[in-house]
């Protein structure tokens, strides 16, 4: 508590999130200005502030790690709120916004900064986002793909959806074992475009005039099915232990500068047990 007070909680979370959530790479890609005309540096900086203030709010109130996914509030100014399509937000200052129950915002997975660093600026990929969510949020490391398996690139002509392409890809048994973890979060986030905006259809070429609807449904690795992004994050949030374990591991890596070793896992198990009464509150986890 003394260190946090002396150096600032927001400063700590900014540095930590830059590494944990790859926010340090947010400027690595630039969305296509033809298709993302409203995206600019002001929006991007506001997205970063959204994530940092959101994490600070959860830490300050010792909120359960499940709120990382299920929170029904976010932080925005008028510019970011307008970009997201949220009404009634005035002023340039970032402030807490309580969201409608059916809002597709709220939680890390719907925040623009996260959605931007998990896309290439032009297209989205369920594989890239699925790997990122598995490793950064759920704590499931994904091994690199076999060398003899080509990468799946989005079909920019719109002849096939990415789902159709991936279904053929995962018929290879050497791919299927990893894709059972990659695909659920990857498909669930497909309603968000490369610049973090919500969409219901894919943009298609002029030759293919009929827009292709996005199907965000899939089945979790444990067999539970979800029909959309809302149901997916509910399934993730209802089991906070993997989220807590991952948060502990990322804190430990940040604090020690080394990867998690076998001996560390026993200590993490103790921390998880120790914080069960607080439903794995984020400040409790940090203290433990």
């Amino acid at each position: 508590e003394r260190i946090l007070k002396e150096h600032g909680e927001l400063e700590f979370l900014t540095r930590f999130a830059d590494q944990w959530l790859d926010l340090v790479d947010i400027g690595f890609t630039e969305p296509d200005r033809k298709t993302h005309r409203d995206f600019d540096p002001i929006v991007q900086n506001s997205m970063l502030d959204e994530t940092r203030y959101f994490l600070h709010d959860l830490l300050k109130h010792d909120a359960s790690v499940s709120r990382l996914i299920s929170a029904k509030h976010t932080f925005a100014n008028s510019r970011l709120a307008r970009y997201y399509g949220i009404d009634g937000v005035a002023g340039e200052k970032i402030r807490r916004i309580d969201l409608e129950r059916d809002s597709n915002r709220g939680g890390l997975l719907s925040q623009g900064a996260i959605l931007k660093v998990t896309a290439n600026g032009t297209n989205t990929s369920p594989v890239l986002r699925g790997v990122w969510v598995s490793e950064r949020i759920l704590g499931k490391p994904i091994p690199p793909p076999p060398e003899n398996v080509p990468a799946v690139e989005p079909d920019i002509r719109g002849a096939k959806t990415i789902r159709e392409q991936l279904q053929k890809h995962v018929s290879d048994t050497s791919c299927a074992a990893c894709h059972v973890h990659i695909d659920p979060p990857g498909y669930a986030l497909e309603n968000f475009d490369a610049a973090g905006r919500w969409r219901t259809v894919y943009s298609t070429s002029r030759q293919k005039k009929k827009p292709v609807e996005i199907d965000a449904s899939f089945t979790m690795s444990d067999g539970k099915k979800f029909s959309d992004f809302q149901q997916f994050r509910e399934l993730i949030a209802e089991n906070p232990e993997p989220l807590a374990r991952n948060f502990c591991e990322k804190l430990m890596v940040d604090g020690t500068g080394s990867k998690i070793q076998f001996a560390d896992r026993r200590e993490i198990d103790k921390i998880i047990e120790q914080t069960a009464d607080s439903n794995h509150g984020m400040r409790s986890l940090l203290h433990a």
Side-chain angles (χ1 to χ4, degrees):
E1 287 294 332
R2 177 183 60 79
I3 293 170
L4 283 173
K5 185 177 181 180
E6 183 177 331
H7 295 281
E9 293 181 13
L10 192 59
E11 177 69 15
F12 158 67
L13 286 168
T14 296
R15 293 174 180 270
F16 176 51
D18 278 355
Q19 302 302 319
W20 168 32
L21 304 175
D22 294 325
L23 300 187
V24 69
D25 295 327
I26 196 168
F28 188 70
T29 60
E30 187 70 28
D32 186 342
R33 295 308 298 269
K34 292 180 181 178
T35 53
H36 305 288
R37 295 176 182 175
D38 292 340
F39 186 89
D40 58 27
I42 296 174
V43 168
Q44 178 168 294
N45 289 333
S46 298
M47 287 175 170
L48 288 170
D49 284 341
E50 174 188 24
T51 301
R52 292 162 180 168
Y53 279 91
F54 174 75
L55 291 173
H56 185 215
D57 182 68
L58 297 187
L59 184 70
K60 183 170 65 175
H61 295 102
D62 196 26
S64 168
V65 284
S66 63
R67 297 289 297 280
L68 285 168
I69 306 300
S70 65
K72 297 309 295 179
H73 72 278
T74 193
F75 284 77
N77 54 20
S78 59
R79 185 72 180 83
L80 184 60
R82 188 164 67 250
Y83 185 81
Y84 285 164
I86 300 173
D87 298 325
V89 180
E92 298 178 4
K93 188 176 181 181
I94 293 281
R95 62 182 178 87
R96 176 176 167 136
I97 308 296
D98 292 320
L99 302 163
E100 299 292 335
R101 187 173 183 83
D102 60 349
S103 173
N104 50 45
R105 299 292 169 178
L108 282 178
L109 299 183
S110 66
Q111 293 178 4
I114 303 300
L115 298 163
K116 186 174 183 295
V117 299
T118 55
N120 66 7
T122 305
N123 299 309
T124 58
S125 165
V127 176
L128 291 178
R129 281 182 172 166
V131 169
W132 190 93
V133 173
S134 295
E135 295 185 338
R136 298 292 175 171
I137 304 298
L138 303 178
K140 296 178 181 176
I142 305 294
E147 292 184 6
N148 62 336
V149 178
V152 178
E153 297 292 341
D155 180 3
I156 59 174
R157 297 170 301 168
K160 292 183 179 180
T161 65
I162 188 70
R163 181 182 284 259
E164 290 170 332
Q165 292 175 277
L166 277 173
Q167 283 176 344
K168 184 178 179 180
H169 173 79
V170 298
S171 62
D172 187 322
T173 54
S174 63
C175 302
C178 290
H179 276 272
V180 72
H181 300 296
I182 295 171
D183 290 350
Y187 286 130
L189 268 62
E190 272 293 273
N191 279 115
F192 295 100
D193 69 17
R197 267 188 161 163
W198 182 263
R199 62 186 177 180
T200 57
V201 296
Y202 291 108
S203 58
T204 57
S205 64
R206 292 180 180 178
Q207 289 81 8
K208 191 177 178 68
K209 294 181 180 180
K210 187 178 179 181
V212 179
E213 288 192 15
I214 292 170
D215 180 3
S217 65
F218 207 67
T219 303
M220 304 286 280
S221 60
D222 61 4
K224 293 180 180 178
K225 295 182 178 181
F226 61 89
S227 61
D228 54 24
F229 173 64
Q230 296 272 28
Q231 287 188 4
F232 169 77
R233 58 181 174 180
E234 287 171 8
L235 288 174
I236 295 297
E238 70 183 20
N239 183 15
E241 188 171 309
L243 300 171
R245 188 174 299 277
N246 174 71
F247 185 65
C248 280
E249 289 182 359
K250 298 303 187 286
L251 281 172
M252 190 172 286
V253 170
D254 187 69
T256 64
S258 62
K259 294 181 179 180
I260 298 296
Q261 305 297 321
F262 180 78
D264 298 326
R265 301 201 179 280
R266 183 167 51 187
E267 301 303 322
I268 291 173
D269 289 341
K270 290 179 183 177
I271 291 170
I272 298 301
E273 184 179 348
Q274 194 176 324
T275 57
D277 289 344
S278 70
N279 202 21
H280 309 297
M282 289 177 60
R283 202 173 196 91
S284 297
L285 287 164
L286 182 60
H287 280 191

